[in-house]
Amino acid sequence: MSTRTSKAPKANGRIDVLDPQDGSLVESIPRYDAKGMQSAIDQADAALPRARRMPVHERMRVLYDAADYVDRHRGEFAETLSREGVKTINEARAEVARTVMTLRLSAEETRRIVGNTIAFDQRPGSENRFGYSRRIPVGLIGAITPFNDPLNLVAHKVGPAIAGGNAVIVKPHEATPLSAIKLLEAFHAAGVEEGIFQVIPGYGADAGDALVVDERVRMISFTGGRETGEKIMQRAGLKKFGMELGSNSPTIVMNDADLEQAIPAIIGGAVAAAGQNCLHVQRLLLHESIYETARDQFVESMGRIRYGDKYSEDMDMGPMIDPQAAERVDNSVQKALRDGARLLTGGQRQGNFYAPTVLEAVPDNHPMVKEEIFGPVTSLHAFRDEDEAIAIANNVDYGLHAGVFTSDVDAAFRVADALECGGVMINDSSDYRLDAAPFGGVKGSGIGREGVGYVLNEMTEPKVYCFNIRFPKGWT
Ligand code: NAD
């Protein structure tokens, strides 16, 4: 599955991919362990010189062709993504469309990987030196991906890796490997050379760990939970890291906000992927003068969210990834209620589904607000003024995105400037992202930036070429 030759890494056992909504078997696929991963690394290592030498026009062609393939087969891609994952069919279609854009952006950015000329003559004695820098590939990139966006987040690593002249091995999440395998199919159809891009499904503790610790892997590009990210950094040794981790994003609604614009956007950000989304609106901060009006509108809209059969086009929200995740969210909600929070809507689990849930009066510093819930639960908080909103928003050890709704451009600027995070969406919820923009967090939300043009800086390195020119005597 991972490559097309007889030297392909050997599987050891199988992974049963289950439909999260009812536990039915979607597909049983080969599972690779540490040994399988090591042979994939052998193949990638052997392919590196070819990846490096691929001319820019060829990298662009492969990426455009892979994008076209995904686009032509978008119905199948959406079906795979929805079946193995937590997204409704409508959400899955939107992710496929974004994947096409991510791959096309990667193709376009390939021609913009440029260095610069260097003024060597700034140092006395260096007058005869001339030179430039050129960006060279990092080498072999290990990409480890989560379950919640199992296609586009893989494309965000594979597209730029190939654009930059690297080889890449993807270790997809064990619950959702099928979308990554389908993406590999697109690259095979586009004629990517063997070994340059492989997908090795397996578990984090064996296949994932083998990728992390191998010295031939020069960069780990990880998207997933903070705890896993920290473990990987402790294990990896001397490598580059891209760490896209979790958050508990705030969205702030000021007293002059347009609630007709704000509430639907916030609802979208509160229930997308059933809250299993790093940009999920976990904390909703409402100015005290509009608290009750905004709260009532928000609670009423959350209560109307249709959740259930994810293949129905009428559903707004799908299931949690597995029973343990549904139980974890329920336990967190029940703990918050025991500790004094009030339930405004939701709070029920039905199988793997969790009802869109709104809480208020959650005690300060409670895990419900300090940690990442990763489920469709939002807590409400009243604030008196800008300073208090900023203090509440920043009082966590995460910082990915934030949203601010206001009609006052000066206030928007001040608040956006003071929020500790990687991106502030004005008059949008925290859950807005453009695949071409820099994306990443501060504090516990990660290290480095994705976003196609930006991650290319991480996946390439400047190499300096300096010419010490001999001029003949009398040269002018
Ligand atoms: P996870 O950390 O459980 O798993 C992510 C990946 O890491 C999986 O492929 C898993 O197999 C692998 N893994 C686990 N242990 C490993 C180990 N010891 N060595 C190597 N690999 C290992 O995360 P998840 O549950 O799939 O995703 C949820 C988390 O991801 C949330 O915290 C969410 O906020 C975050 N996330 C972040 C972004 C972002 O761009 N910042 C995007 C999506 C999800």
Short mmCIF file of all heavy atoms in Angstrom, two decimals, residues 322-357:
data_model
loop_
_atom_site.label_atom_id
_atom_site.label_comp_id
_atom_site.label_asym_id
_atom_site.label_seq_id
_atom_site.Cartn_x
_atom_site.Cartn_y
_atom_site.Cartn_z
N ASP A 322 -14.72 8.18 19.00
CA ASP A 322 -14.92 6.84 19.55
C ASP A 322 -15.65 6.95 20.90
O ASP A 322 -15.82 8.06 21.42
CB ASP A 322 -13.58 6.07 19.66
CG ASP A 322 -12.53 6.83 20.45
OD1 ASP A 322 -12.92 7.60 21.36
OD2 ASP A 322 -11.32 6.66 20.17
N PRO A 323 -16.07 5.80 21.45
CA PRO A 323 -16.82 5.86 22.71
C PRO A 323 -16.02 6.52 23.84
O PRO A 323 -16.59 7.23 24.67
CB PRO A 323 -17.08 4.38 23.04
CG PRO A 323 -16.89 3.64 21.77
CD PRO A 323 -15.94 4.42 20.94
N GLN A 324 -14.69 6.30 23.83
CA GLN A 324 -13.88 6.88 24.91
C GLN A 324 -13.93 8.42 24.84
O GLN A 324 -13.97 9.10 25.87
CB GLN A 324 -12.41 6.44 24.81
CG GLN A 324 -12.14 4.97 25.03
CD GLN A 324 -12.52 4.10 23.81
OE1 GLN A 324 -12.73 4.60 22.71
NE2 GLN A 324 -12.66 2.81 24.03
N ALA A 325 -13.93 8.95 23.61
CA ALA A 325 -13.96 10.41 23.46
C ALA A 325 -15.30 10.95 23.94
O ALA A 325 -15.36 11.99 24.62
CB ALA A 325 -13.71 10.78 22.00
N ALA A 326 -16.38 10.25 23.60
CA ALA A 326 -17.71 10.70 24.04
C ALA A 326 -17.79 10.66 25.57
O ALA A 326 -18.31 11.59 26.21
CB ALA A 326 -18.79 9.81 23.42
N GLU A 327 -17.20 9.63 26.15
CA GLU A 327 -17.23 9.49 27.61
C GLU A 327 -16.37 10.58 28.28
O GLU A 327 -16.74 11.16 29.29
CB GLU A 327 -16.70 8.11 27.98
CG GLU A 327 -17.04 7.74 29.40
CD GLU A 327 -16.52 6.34 29.73
OE1 GLU A 327 -16.50 5.48 28.84
OE2 GLU A 327 -16.13 6.15 30.90
N ARG A 328 -15.21 10.85 27.64
CA ARG A 328 -14.32 11.87 28.20
C ARG A 328 -15.03 13.23 28.26
O ARG A 328 -14.98 13.93 29.27
CB ARG A 328 -13.05 11.96 27.32
CG ARG A 328 -12.06 13.02 27.76
CD ARG A 328 -10.85 13.11 26.81
NE ARG A 328 -11.20 13.17 25.40
CZ ARG A 328 -11.67 14.22 24.76
NH1 ARG A 328 -11.86 15.35 25.43
NH2 ARG A 328 -11.98 14.17 23.47
N VAL A 329 -15.72 13.59 27.16
CA VAL A 329 -16.42 14.89 27.13
C VAL A 329 -17.52 14.89 28.18
O VAL A 329 -17.69 15.85 28.94
CB VAL A 329 -16.99 15.15 25.71
CG1 VAL A 329 -17.90 16.37 25.72
CG2 VAL A 329 -15.85 15.36 24.72
N ASP A 330 -18.26 13.78 28.27
CA ASP A 330 -19.35 13.73 29.24
C ASP A 330 -18.80 13.86 30.66
O ASP A 330 -19.36 14.61 31.48
CB ASP A 330 -20.12 12.41 29.07
CG ASP A 330 -21.46 12.49 29.78
OD1 ASP A 330 -22.10 13.56 29.73
OD2 ASP A 330 -21.86 11.51 30.42
N ASN A 331 -17.71 13.18 30.95
CA ASN A 331 -17.12 13.28 32.30
C ASN A 331 -16.71 14.71 32.61
O ASN A 331 -16.90 15.20 33.73
CB ASN A 331 -15.88 12.38 32.41
CG ASN A 331 -16.28 10.91 32.48
OD1 ASN A 331 -17.43 10.58 32.76
ND2 ASN A 331 -15.33 10.01 32.19
N SER A 332 -16.14 15.41 31.60
CA SER A 332 -15.71 16.80 31.84
C SER A 332 -16.91 17.68 32.11
O SER A 332 -16.86 18.57 32.99
CB SER A 332 -14.96 17.36 30.64
OG SER A 332 -13.89 16.54 30.32
N VAL A 333 -17.99 17.48 31.36
CA VAL A 333 -19.20 18.30 31.57
C VAL A 333 -19.78 18.00 32.95
O VAL A 333 -20.10 18.92 33.72
CB VAL A 333 -20.24 18.03 30.44
CG1 VAL A 333 -21.59 18.67 30.78
CG2 VAL A 333 -19.72 18.55 29.10
N GLN A 334 -19.87 16.72 33.30
CA GLN A 334 -20.46 16.36 34.60
C GLN A 334 -19.62 16.93 35.75
O GLN A 334 -20.16 17.39 36.75
CB GLN A 334 -20.60 14.83 34.75
CG GLN A 334 -21.53 14.16 33.73
CD GLN A 334 -22.88 14.87 33.58
OE1 GLN A 334 -23.44 15.36 34.56
NE2 GLN A 334 -23.39 14.96 32.36
N LYS A 335 -18.30 16.91 35.57
CA LYS A 335 -17.43 17.46 36.62
C LYS A 335 -17.67 18.97 36.79
O LYS A 335 -17.78 19.47 37.90
CB LYS A 335 -15.95 17.19 36.30
CG LYS A 335 -15.01 17.84 37.30
CD LYS A 335 -13.58 17.40 37.14
CE LYS A 335 -12.62 18.24 37.98
NZ LYS A 335 -13.05 18.60 39.33
N ALA A 336 -17.79 19.66 35.64
CA ALA A 336 -18.03 21.11 35.70
C ALA A 336 -19.37 21.38 36.42
O ALA A 336 -19.46 22.31 37.24
CB ALA A 336 -18.04 21.70 34.30
N LEU A 337 -20.37 20.56 36.13
CA LEU A 337 -21.69 20.77 36.78
C LEU A 337 -21.59 20.51 38.29
O LEU A 337 -22.13 21.27 39.08
CB LEU A 337 -22.74 19.85 36.15
CG LEU A 337 -23.05 20.12 34.66
CD1 LEU A 337 -24.08 19.14 34.12
CD2 LEU A 337 -23.53 21.56 34.45
N ARG A 338 -20.85 19.47 38.65
CA ARG A 338 -20.67 19.20 40.08
C ARG A 338 -19.93 20.35 40.78
O ARG A 338 -20.15 20.65 41.93
CB ARG A 338 -19.86 17.92 40.29
CG ARG A 338 -20.66 16.63 40.13
CD ARG A 338 -19.90 15.44 40.74
NE ARG A 338 -18.58 15.26 40.20
CZ ARG A 338 -18.29 14.65 39.04
NH1 ARG A 338 -19.27 14.15 38.31
NH2 ARG A 338 -17.04 14.54 38.61
N ASP A 339 -19.04 21.00 40.01
CA ASP A 339 -18.23 22.07 40.60
C ASP A 339 -18.92 23.43 40.55
O ASP A 339 -18.29 24.46 40.79
CB ASP A 339 -16.86 22.14 39.89
CG ASP A 339 -16.02 20.89 40.17
OD1 ASP A 339 -16.33 20.17 41.14
OD2 ASP A 339 -15.07 20.63 39.40
N GLY A 340 -20.17 23.46 40.11
CA GLY A 340 -20.93 24.72 40.20
C GLY A 340 -21.38 25.32 38.88
O GLY A 340 -22.10 26.32 38.87
N ALA A 341 -20.98 24.76 37.74
CA ALA A 341 -21.40 25.32 36.45
C ALA A 341 -22.89 25.04 36.24
O ALA A 341 -23.45 24.11 36.85
CB ALA A 341 -20.58 24.68 35.33
N ARG A 342 -23.53 25.88 35.40
CA ARG A 342 -24.95 25.64 35.06
C ARG A 342 -25.04 25.19 33.61
O ARG A 342 -24.37 25.74 32.73
CB ARG A 342 -25.74 26.94 35.20
CG ARG A 342 -26.25 27.19 36.60
CD ARG A 342 -27.29 28.29 36.64
NE ARG A 342 -26.78 29.57 36.15
CZ ARG A 342 -26.09 30.43 36.88
NH1 ARG A 342 -25.81 30.16 38.15
NH2 ARG A 342 -25.67 31.57 36.36
N LEU A 343 -25.91 24.19 33.38
CA LEU A 343 -26.10 23.65 32.03
C LEU A 343 -27.24 24.43 31.37
O LEU A 343 -28.34 24.48 31.90
CB LEU A 343 -26.47 22.17 32.15
CG LEU A 343 -26.71 21.42 30.85
CD1 LEU A 343 -25.41 21.26 30.07
CD2 LEU A 343 -27.29 20.02 31.15
N LEU A 344 -26.95 25.03 30.19
CA LEU A 344 -27.99 25.81 29.50
C LEU A 344 -28.65 25.02 28.37
O LEU A 344 -29.79 25.25 28.04
CB LEU A 344 -27.39 27.12 28.96
CG LEU A 344 -26.78 28.02 30.02
CD1 LEU A 344 -26.16 29.26 29.40
CD2 LEU A 344 -27.83 28.42 31.06
N THR A 345 -27.89 24.13 27.76
CA THR A 345 -28.46 23.19 26.80
C THR A 345 -27.47 22.04 26.61
O THR A 345 -26.28 22.20 26.87
CB THR A 345 -28.78 23.86 25.43
OG1 THR A 345 -29.47 22.93 24.60
CG2 THR A 345 -27.52 24.31 24.69
N GLY A 346 -27.96 20.90 26.15
CA GLY A 346 -27.08 19.76 25.85
C GLY A 346 -26.77 18.94 27.08
O GLY A 346 -27.65 18.67 27.90
N GLY A 347 -25.50 18.53 27.17
CA GLY A 347 -25.08 17.73 28.34
C GLY A 347 -25.49 16.28 28.26
O GLY A 347 -25.43 15.58 29.26
N GLN A 348 -25.93 15.83 27.06
CA GLN A 348 -26.29 14.40 26.98
C GLN A 348 -25.45 13.70 25.92
O GLN A 348 -25.16 14.27 24.87
CB GLN A 348 -27.74 14.18 26.53
CG GLN A 348 -28.81 14.86 27.29
CD GLN A 348 -29.53 15.84 26.40
OE1 GLN A 348 -29.60 15.65 25.19
NE2 GLN A 348 -30.04 16.90 27.01
N ARG A 349 -25.20 12.43 26.26
CA ARG A 349 -24.49 11.56 25.32
C ARG A 349 -25.46 10.50 24.82
O ARG A 349 -26.21 9.93 25.61
CB ARG A 349 -23.33 10.91 26.08
CG ARG A 349 -22.59 9.92 25.26
CD ARG A 349 -21.56 9.16 26.06
NE ARG A 349 -21.11 8.07 25.22
CZ ARG A 349 -20.39 7.05 25.64
NH1 ARG A 349 -20.00 6.99 26.88
NH2 ARG A 349 -20.05 6.09 24.81
N GLN A 350 -25.45 10.30 23.49
CA GLN A 350 -26.22 9.18 22.94
C GLN A 350 -25.26 8.39 22.09
O GLN A 350 -24.90 8.84 20.99
CB GLN A 350 -27.36 9.69 22.06
CG GLN A 350 -28.50 10.26 22.85
CD GLN A 350 -29.38 11.13 21.98
OE1 GLN A 350 -28.92 12.00 21.23
NE2 GLN A 350 -30.67 10.90 22.06
N GLY A 351 -24.81 7.25 22.60
CA GLY A 351 -23.80 6.47 21.87
C GLY A 351 -22.56 7.31 21.71
O GLY A 351 -22.06 7.90 22.67
N ASN A 352 -22.08 7.43 20.48
CA ASN A 352 -20.87 8.22 20.25
C ASN A 352 -21.18 9.69 19.95
O ASN A 352 -20.28 10.45 19.63
CB ASN A 352 -20.07 7.62 19.09
CG ASN A 352 -19.38 6.34 19.51
OD1 ASN A 352 -19.48 5.93 20.66
ND2 ASN A 352 -18.68 5.71 18.58
N PHE A 353 -22.46 10.05 19.99
CA PHE A 353 -22.82 11.45 19.74
C PHE A 353 -22.89 12.21 21.06
O PHE A 353 -23.31 11.66 22.07
CB PHE A 353 -24.17 11.53 19.04
CG PHE A 353 -24.12 11.06 17.62
CD1 PHE A 353 -24.31 9.72 17.31
CD2 PHE A 353 -23.85 11.94 16.58
CE1 PHE A 353 -24.25 9.27 16.00
CE2 PHE A 353 -23.79 11.50 15.27
CZ PHE A 353 -23.99 10.16 14.98
N TYR A 354 -22.46 13.48 21.00
CA TYR A 354 -22.60 14.32 22.19
C TYR A 354 -23.38 15.57 21.79
O TYR A 354 -23.05 16.23 20.80
CB TYR A 354 -21.24 14.69 22.78
CG TYR A 354 -21.41 15.02 24.24
CD1 TYR A 354 -21.51 14.01 25.19
CD2 TYR A 354 -21.55 16.33 24.66
CE1 TYR A 354 -21.73 14.29 26.53
CE2 TYR A 354 -21.76 16.63 26.00
CZ TYR A 354 -21.86 15.60 26.93
OH TYR A 354 -22.10 15.89 28.26
N ALA A 355 -24.41 15.89 22.54
CA ALA A 355 -25.27 17.03 22.18
C ALA A 355 -24.50 18.34 22.29
O ALA A 355 -23.68 18.50 23.21
CB ALA A 355 -26.46 17.05 23.13
N PRO A 356 -24.75 19.29 21.36
CA PRO A 356 -24.14 20.62 21.49
C PRO A 356 -24.49 21.19 22.86
O PRO A 356 -25.67 21.23 23.24
CB PRO A 356 -24.81 21.43 20.36
CG PRO A 356 -25.19 20.39 19.36
CD PRO A 356 -25.57 19.18 20.16
N THR A 357 -23.48 21.58 23.60
CA THR A 357 -23.64 21.88 25.02
C THR A 357 -23.14 23.29 25.35
O THR A 357 -22.08 23.70 24.86
CB THR A 357 -22.85 20.83 25.84
OG1 THR A 357 -23.42 19.55 25.56
CG2 THR A 357 -22.87 21.11 27.32
#
